[in-house]
Amino acid sequence: VIQKDWNTDRDRSLNHGTEVVSSILTGNNKKITKDIRRVCAILNALEETTSERCGAHVHIGAKYLKSMQSLRNLAEIWSNAEKILYTISNKEGEIPRDGIIDYAVPISGDIEEALDVGAEILDEDIEEFLKDVQENKYYSINFLNIGDKKKNTIEFRTPNGTIDPDIWIENINLFGGIMKASEDLSKIQKTKNKNRNSKEQKMLDNFEKLKDKEIDERQRLEILLYLAIPNNENRQIYINRYEKNKDLLEQDENIAGIINRNTAKKPISLNKIGKKVFIGKDAITGQEYEQASRIIEIDLQRQINNLER
């Protein structure tokens, strides 16, 4: 125990590595930031370091999202800003670690592929759809813990490992802000247009604009920060990260290639309401589903008619 309710455990992905795991951080922000700063101070005093493979994962309780629409909003925000999130998840002057290919690969490309085979998602199926997309937990965002009795969380895996408390706090604010925006948007989406105030309508308009294929990456960044970071001054932290890290990332063909190859090539929209279909290696298209459904329906009706005779 490094501090009350903060534990260290052996990291099985390393020959000699230790993982530091916090308790569930609840309460006021001052206490949380104080705990984070204290733990980082202890690790720095012990001269601990992070390797190029180390990640700084942030778990946020999935219960914060009160509806499937909120989860749908989160998946859309993340997918349509994923490339940017790799750039702004680390401190200014640092690009994503080599280990992202094994431990934090982009998810938007897989979502795009699933949609391309004809997946249309009923509202209540969005959770199942996202879990089906994932082969394992090693994606930029991990949805597999949702509904788990012991760990009902959404896990954000893009950041590199760090013992800089400011980076931890800024990333928690970023991911927490994305979660809050997803939930707030779901409430706005339930109201009729005439009942929305100008701020609510602007938020919804920006959310929809994030799915516009015509906007450039800088515009996408500004929309993401508008949705997730309410304070203008705090947005500058992530703008500085973006401006510095984007140039550095473009110089690293390996990491940039991993991100570019695995992120979606067109905007992701999960607002299709239709029949659920299978995805993955046994994928079927929506057209195939509909055709089979009609055949089964006709056959059932025929059997009913025979029984009535």
Side-chain angles (χ1 to χ4, degrees):
V1 177
I2 194 171
Q3 165 151 314
K4 183 180 179 182
D5 298 327
W6 287 64
N7 299 313
T8 58
D9 194 9
R10 178 176 173 269
D11 190 328
R12 292 173 185 156
S13 68
L14 301 172
N15 293 327
H16 301 285
T18 300
E19 182 179 25
V20 178
V21 182
S22 79
S23 60
I24 298 174
L25 300 178
T26 58
N28 64 68
N29 289 339
K30 287 185 179 180
K31 181 184 182 303
I32 292 172
T33 55
K34 183 178 179 181
D35 286 349
I36 292 171
R37 292 189 185 283
R38 179 173 174 77
V39 169
C40 287
I42 292 170
L43 293 172
N44 277 295
L46 292 171
E47 298 184 348
E48 297 292 333
T49 59
T50 57
S51 75
E52 291 182 357
R53 294 179 58 202
C54 181
H57 305 155
V58 175
H59 289 259
I60 298 178
K63 283 186 177 180
Y64 183 83
L65 301 179
K66 302 298 190 296
S67 68
M68 288 298 106
Q69 183 60 48
S70 303
L71 180 59
R72 186 189 299 269
N73 293 340
L74 171 62
E76 286 192 356
I77 291 172
W78 188 270
S79 296
N80 290 312
E82 188 171 42
K83 190 179 291 188
I84 293 167
L85 284 158
Y86 276 101
T87 309
I88 66 173
S89 289
N90 297 305
K91 68 180 181 181
E92 190 177 339
E94 185 174 287
I95 65 171
R97 61 202 180 279
D98 288 339
I100 62 167
I101 186 60
D102 295 314
Y103 300 109
V105 71
I107 195 172
S108 60
D110 283 9
I111 290 176
E112 180 182 39
E113 183 179 353
L115 294 173
D116 282 346
V117 301
E120 296 178 340
I121 312 124
L122 287 165
D123 189 57
E124 62 268 23
D125 293 325
I126 185 65
E127 180 183 326
E128 185 178 343
F129 169 80
L130 293 171
K131 287 182 177 181
D132 284 348
V133 165
Q134 287 191 242
E135 298 174 4
N136 49 53
K137 71 177 183 179
Y138 300 117
Y139 282 82
S140 61
I141 186 170
N142 172 25
F143 295 107
L144 295 181
N145 294 329
I146 298 176
D148 186 274
K149 292 181 180 179
K150 292 184 178 179
K151 189 192 289 184
N152 183 22
T153 66
I154 293 167
E155 181 185 17
F156 300 87
R157 300 176 59 90
T158 49
N160 297 343
T162 181
I163 49 178
D164 182 333
D166 289 332
I167 306 304
W168 274 104
I169 293 164
E170 289 161 7
N171 282 342
I172 290 170
N173 288 338
L174 174 62
F175 301 140
I178 293 173
M179 289 278 285
K180 185 177 186 304
S182 302
E183 176 63 21
D184 290 347
L185 281 162
S186 72
K187 295 173 183 176
I188 296 169
Q189 288 161 332
K190 289 177 183 177
T191 63
K192 295 181 180 179
N193 289 8
K194 64 180 181 180
N195 295 330
R196 294 173 189 153
N197 61 40
S198 59
K199 184 177 180 181
E200 289 172 337
Q201 189 60 51
K202 184 177 180 182
M203 188 173 183
L204 188 58
D205 289 344
N206 273 280
F207 172 64
E208 293 300 326
K209 193 174 180 182
L210 196 60
K211 294 178 271 187
D212 185 348
K213 65 181 180 180
E214 300 301 327
I215 62 173
D216 61 31
E217 194 170 277
R218 182 57 188 249
Q219 289 174 299
R220 206 170 290 277
L221 170 69
E222 290 172 356
I223 292 170
L224 173 66
L225 295 180
Y226 173 82
L227 293 172
I229 308 296
N231 189 304
N232 273 323
E233 291 182 10
N234 290 342
R235 291 175 195 165
Q236 193 60 46
I237 294 168
Y238 309 98
I239 292 171
N240 292 344
R241 289 186 184 187
Y242 174 80
E243 290 177 344
K244 179 72 173 180
N245 298 350
K246 184 177 184 296
D247 290 340
L248 292 174
L249 186 56
E250 287 175 350
Q251 296 170 30
D252 191 309
E253 294 182 0
N254 179 42
I255 303 298
I258 291 169
I259 295 171
N260 289 332
R261 283 193 300 273
N262 292 283
T263 47
K265 304 303 182 288
K266 57 180 180 287
I268 297 295
S269 177
L270 299 173
N271 283 322
K272 296 179 180 179
I273 303 298
K275 300 293 184 182
K276 184 180 76 171
V277 302
F278 296 101
I279 60 176
K281 65 178 182 180
D282 297 319
I284 64 170
T285 67
Q287 183 179 4
E288 289 169 330
Y289 183 100
E290 292 290 348
Q291 184 178 1
S293 180
R294 284 195 297 272
I295 292 170
I296 292 170
E297 187 176 351
I298 292 168
D299 188 57
L300 285 172
Q301 188 59 53
R302 185 182 296 116
Q303 292 180 47
I304 291 170
N305 293 340
N306 288 336
L307 287 172
E308 290 176 347
R309 291 173 188 171

